[in-house]
Amino acid sequence: MELKEFKIYKSSGTYSETIETYGVANLLNEIFIRNNTVAPTITIEDNDLFYSIKVNKPITSEMIEKLTYFPIVKFIKKEDKTKVPEGIIDYFDYPAQKKIVDDYKEKYSSIDKNKNLSKEQKKQARKELTQKRFSEFGDVVNPEFDVFKEIKGNPYASFLKLFDNFYKNQDRFQLLVKEILAKYSKCGEVERVFKLVDENPTAQQLYNPNQGKGLNKAKANNASMGNLDSNWVSETMKISGALSMMTCQYVKVGSTYDLKIYVPEFNQITLSKTRDILFEFKKYLKGSSPIKLDILNSLNLSINFIQQMPEYNRGKIKNTIKGFYAVYQKDLGQNKAVANISFINTPDFISYSTAEEGRNWIDILENQKKIILGIEELGDSIQGLQAYRDFLGSIEKSTLDNFNKFSYWYSSYLSQSLSKEKYYVKPFNVEILNKFYINMDTTELNLKEIIENKGFKAVAKAIRKSTVSLQYTPKEQRKFEIRYGLSQQLQNKSKSKEDLAAFIGEFIGLYNAETARYAEKYNSAPRATVKDLELNMFFEVLNQHPSRLVGALLTSYGFALTSRENPIIEDEDLSDENEN
């Protein structure tokens, strides 16, 4: 027997087969390790109808025959009184891990409650604690903790039976491994005459989100709402895959917590790289509100992918990492019910090949994270966040349209927040916007030609000096009145070139007149006027490009600050998001 390829066929339309694939890959990797195989490469590939796992060195009969028993999935110690099976040394100790997590929460809470520390000192203390937490001197939290925390609930009884399938048949372990490999390869069926503890386990909702009660039939056909039965091989592989590649995060809703589950899907990648990316990604996870969680996870995964692969020769990162399966489970007290199953695409517009291009994208995405973190998911903010989430997951043709919708909404949100002195709501950064639009540039739109035009820059600066720049200036130091509602006016007037041209002409006329009056009274002015030549250059750009595009770009730049303009204001510590 020489096996080099394994297939897992899709049928559910969820992450169920995805985690099963990761589980099979984990088993293959363990077989190689226990046979002291040097540098095996295990590649996972999505082939639409099925996943394939390919190994650069074959799995042979001799390798299977050398195996002695090992847990296919680690035992989970549920409580202090839970007895660990004899001979099992390496296991997940939930009580011990929970204590470490609770201790860190208490330490973060103590920092926040310490009235002797300033905001900056608290921020630094949290940063130092986080650094220690991930250093060799900190207590280690298993990267799988979020998942086995869920397994030790309702799926635990099923987990124990599947664990015992192997533990209670240690002398027949090789045959069970052959049976697993036979299911996913063409090596033929393996005959087994003895019974397992559980050969047809109930499909657990955590691993099979479409198999929960009330979800497993297209329409009701009887009074029963029970879960469907599954196969012991599939369910065991799903547990293994979930522990290594699933992320579970909580969403606070009133006095309870709902659950969001994420599983990444790749087009083609090695098992070792998926582990590197996901375990690093999971280190810094925090709880948040539902839409923000989708956005922040998408941004963080993209950032982490670029950090793990500083040079990339496949163009768009979407060519490797497709995105996340996302499942929302509503808390019903004793149990949780699946309320939504979706897929969040990796941003279609992120493309790089060199380390410098990768760093540019990290700067862009980190800046976007700061902006998203400052938004409270309440009221009309939900519409703005949905536009941003659509922007991240949309196809190329509509990507910029969705970001423009967000820009219009955010400019108003920023203005309203700053009027209430909510300085943790951050403006766009002009230099980062330049990187963003230039990296997003397409032949059809020619964004660089617009944003580098002297007339466009002068008009955007005038908007900035009439709005966000003044709002960061203390009231007693303001020389001009703030133009509230300017972003909404821009959006309304951008529907036609004529309306936008007339509006900008009128705005610049008033802007210049105010500036000139101040200069005449005080012999100088804190801002420059927009010259006729600059205004004409803007009108030329407007004549050559869609008014909606120019208006949206004006809005994003008009409600941004350059690094030099950005005032030194103590940042609101956004780390009060729930630690995962």
Side-chain angles (χ1 to χ4, degrees):
M1 178 182 75
E2 288 196 355
L3 304 176
K4 297 191 71 173
E5 183 174 6
F6 305 84
K7 293 182 179 180
I8 298 86
Y9 286 88
K10 300 180 183 182
S11 60
S12 70
T14 70
Y15 60 62
S16 183
E17 291 81 25
T18 311
I19 58 173
E20 185 175 354
T21 301
Y22 294 138
V24 175
N26 289 339
L27 175 60
L28 298 176
N29 187 60
E30 194 65 29
I31 292 172
F32 281 126
I33 290 172
R34 290 174 183 274
N35 276 271
N36 299 314
T37 304
V38 179
T41 300
I42 301 172
T43 304
I44 299 169
E45 186 174 342
D46 185 353
N47 295 281
D48 293 329
L49 296 178
F50 63 90
Y51 296 105
S52 67
I53 305 172
K54 297 177 181 178
V55 293
N56 66 332
K57 298 176 181 179
I59 298 286
T60 64
S61 300
E62 290 75 16
M63 293 171 71
I64 305 301
E65 289 166 4
K66 290 179 182 178
L67 293 178
T68 55
Y69 168 77
F70 61 86
I72 300 294
V73 290
K74 283 187 185 180
F75 182 79
I76 300 171
K77 182 180 178 181
K78 180 180 179 179
E79 301 169 338
D80 286 326
K81 63 182 181 181
T82 301
K83 185 177 180 181
V84 178
E86 186 178 350
I88 300 298
I89 300 173
D90 186 16
Y91 58 91
F92 292 124
D93 190 337
Y94 175 73
Q97 287 285 292
K98 186 177 186 301
K99 185 179 184 308
I100 294 173
V101 172
D102 289 344
D103 286 346
Y104 277 121
K105 284 183 180 179
E106 182 59 35
K107 289 175 182 177
Y108 282 115
S109 179
S110 296
I111 292 171
D112 292 338
K113 293 176 182 178
N114 191 334
K115 296 180 180 179
N116 296 321
L117 299 178
S118 66
K119 282 187 177 181
E120 191 57 42
Q121 287 172 325
K122 289 180 181 180
K123 185 178 179 182
Q124 182 60 30
R126 288 182 66 93
K127 183 178 179 181
E128 289 174 1
L129 179 57
T130 300
Q131 288 174 340
K132 181 182 178 181
R133 181 173 150 203
F134 296 124
S135 74
E136 59 184 310
F137 304 107
D139 292 322
V140 177
V141 178
N142 293 134
E144 303 93 343
F145 175 76
D146 58 319
V147 181
F148 68 73
K149 179 181 179 181
E150 300 305 315
I151 294 177
K152 64 93 185 171
N154 282 343
Y156 190 68
S158 176
F159 165 82
L160 286 180
K161 291 178 182 178
L162 291 170
F163 178 87
D164 281 343
N165 278 345
F166 300 91
Y167 182 75
K168 293 186 175 180
N169 290 286
Q170 296 185 32
D171 56 336
R172 300 152 168 170
F173 181 69
Q174 296 173 5
L175 183 65
L176 295 179
V177 172
K178 287 181 181 179
E179 188 170 344
I180 294 173
L181 298 182
K183 177 176 172 60
Y184 303 107
S185 67
K186 296 181 178 179
C187 67
E189 292 188 10
V190 174
E191 292 187 11
R192 172 169 51 83
V193 295
F194 60 94
K195 289 286 186 181
L196 299 177
V197 176
D198 192 359
E199 300 203 16
N200 299 108
T202 300
Q204 298 297 315
Q205 184 175 269
L206 182 64
Y207 326 117
N208 307 275
N210 66 326
Q211 296 294 308
K213 292 183 179 181
L215 287 172
N216 51 45
K217 293 283 190 290
K219 57 197 294 189
N221 57 7
N222 59 54
S224 174
M225 293 178 62
N227 294 37
L228 300 179
D229 288 341
S230 184
N231 171 272
W232 71 273
V233 174
S234 295
E235 292 304 297
T236 305
M237 294 300 100
K238 288 171 188 175
I239 295 172
S240 172
L243 284 164
S244 62
M245 295 305 294
M246 179 184 281
T247 298
C248 299
Q249 291 172 271
Y250 288 100
V251 178
K252 196 173 190 316
V253 182
S255 59
T256 62
Y257 286 91
D258 294 341
L259 180 69
K260 289 210 76 169
I261 300 170
Y262 297 91
V263 174
E265 181 168 64
F266 299 87
N267 277 309
Q268 185 187 63
I269 197 167
T270 62
L271 177 64
S272 61
K273 188 58 70 177
T274 62
R275 288 177 168 179
D276 291 343
I277 291 171
L278 199 76
F279 282 6
E280 187 66 26
F281 163 78
K282 289 178 74 169
K283 274 186 181 181
Y284 304 97
L285 291 180
K286 292 181 179 180
S288 189
S289 47
I291 304 176
K292 282 176 67 174
L293 205 58
D294 291 347
I295 293 169
L296 293 171
N297 280 348
S298 181
L299 292 173
N300 280 327
L301 188 66
S302 299
I303 290 168
N304 195 254
F305 178 87
I306 298 169
Q307 289 171 337
Q308 294 289 331
M309 304 184 79
E311 294 186 351
Y312 184 64
N313 59 6
R314 296 186 63 187
K316 297 178 180 180
I317 66 172
K318 192 173 182 178
N319 293 333
T320 294
I321 178 167
K322 295 173 72 174
F324 278 116
Y325 283 103
V327 171
Y328 190 100
Q329 290 192 3
K330 188 73 181 169
D331 182 38
L332 301 178
Q334 293 257 345
N335 297 303
K336 293 183 176 68
V338 172
N340 181 261
I341 300 174
S342 62
F343 190 85
I344 302 166
N345 289 310
T346 298
D348 190 55
F349 50 83
I350 302 177
S351 175
Y352 72 101
S353 57
T354 66
E356 182 181 0
E357 290 172 347
R359 285 193 296 271
N360 282 340
W361 273 115
I362 290 175
D363 289 344
I364 293 166
L365 299 175
E366 288 286 3
N367 182 256
Q368 297 285 300
K369 271 176 58 181
K370 288 181 180 179
I371 289 170
I372 297 301
L373 279 169
I375 301 172
E376 297 179 73
E377 193 172 320
L378 298 169
D380 76 332
S381 298
I382 294 174
Q383 294 179 345
L385 289 168
Q386 284 175 335
Y388 191 91
R389 184 172 62 182
D390 290 343
F391 151 67
L392 290 180
S394 58
I395 58 174
E396 187 175 3
K397 289 183 180 178
S398 61
T399 296
L400 203 56
D401 289 341
N402 287 314
F403 186 75
N404 291 344
K405 290 177 186 176
F406 175 77
S407 295
Y408 280 127
W409 171 83
Y410 189 69
S411 58
S412 295
Y413 182 80
L414 173 67
S415 184
Q416 292 170 15
S417 298
L418 294 181
S419 69
K420 299 173 185 176
E421 299 185 353
K422 294 182 178 181
Y423 293 115
Y424 57 86
V425 180
K426 301 297 182 185
F428 287 116
N429 177 278
V430 171
E431 290 84 358
I432 298 296
L433 279 176
N434 288 337
K435 286 183 181 181
F436 171 71
Y437 283 121
I438 288 172
N439 280 280
M440 283 275 291
D441 205 353
T442 63
T443 307
E444 297 82 9
L445 296 177
N446 201 357
L447 301 177
K448 189 175 181 180
E449 181 181 270
I450 302 173
I451 64 177
E452 293 187 351
N453 179 277
K454 290 183 179 179
F456 174 88
K457 291 161 80 172
V459 172
K461 186 176 182 180
I463 295 171
R464 190 156 65 242
K465 293 294 184 181
S466 300
T467 55
V468 64
S469 183
L470 286 175
Q471 289 186 282
Y472 274 107
T473 305
K475 291 181 180 179
E476 64 276 7
Q477 298 178 23
R478 292 174 188 168
K479 311 302 182 185
F480 305 96
E481 292 295 319
I482 298 171
R483 288 287 301 270
Y484 290 107
L486 194 55
S487 62
Q488 188 62 48
Q489 290 174 302
L490 269 173
Q491 184 174 9
N492 292 336
K493 298 299 182 180
S494 296
K495 294 174 183 177
S496 74
K497 292 186 178 184
E498 294 77 11
D499 287 349
L500 183 57
F503 174 73
I504 293 299
E506 180 183 354
F507 164 72
I508 295 299
L510 292 172
Y511 177 86
N512 283 346
E514 283 182 349
T515 308
R517 280 196 299 272
Y518 188 94
E520 185 178 345
K521 186 175 181 179
Y522 297 102
N523 294 321
S524 65
R527 67 188 192 189
T529 58
V530 177
K531 299 176 178 61
D532 289 343
L533 178 60
E534 292 172 328
L535 189 57
N536 288 332
M537 292 175 73
F538 171 79
F539 289 143
E540 288 178 10
V541 164
L542 177 58
N543 188 49
Q544 295 168 6
H545 298 276
S547 59
R548 291 180 184 272
L549 173 62
V550 175
L553 292 173
L554 265 186
T555 302
S556 60
Y557 277 93
F559 288 82
L561 292 175
T562 66
S563 296
R564 292 181 63 185
E565 290 173 325
N566 205 355
I568 301 175
I569 293 180
E570 188 174 26
D571 284 350
E572 182 84 8
D573 190 358
L574 298 174
S575 56
D576 61 348
E577 301 282 354
N578 301 314
E579 297 289 339
N580 192 45

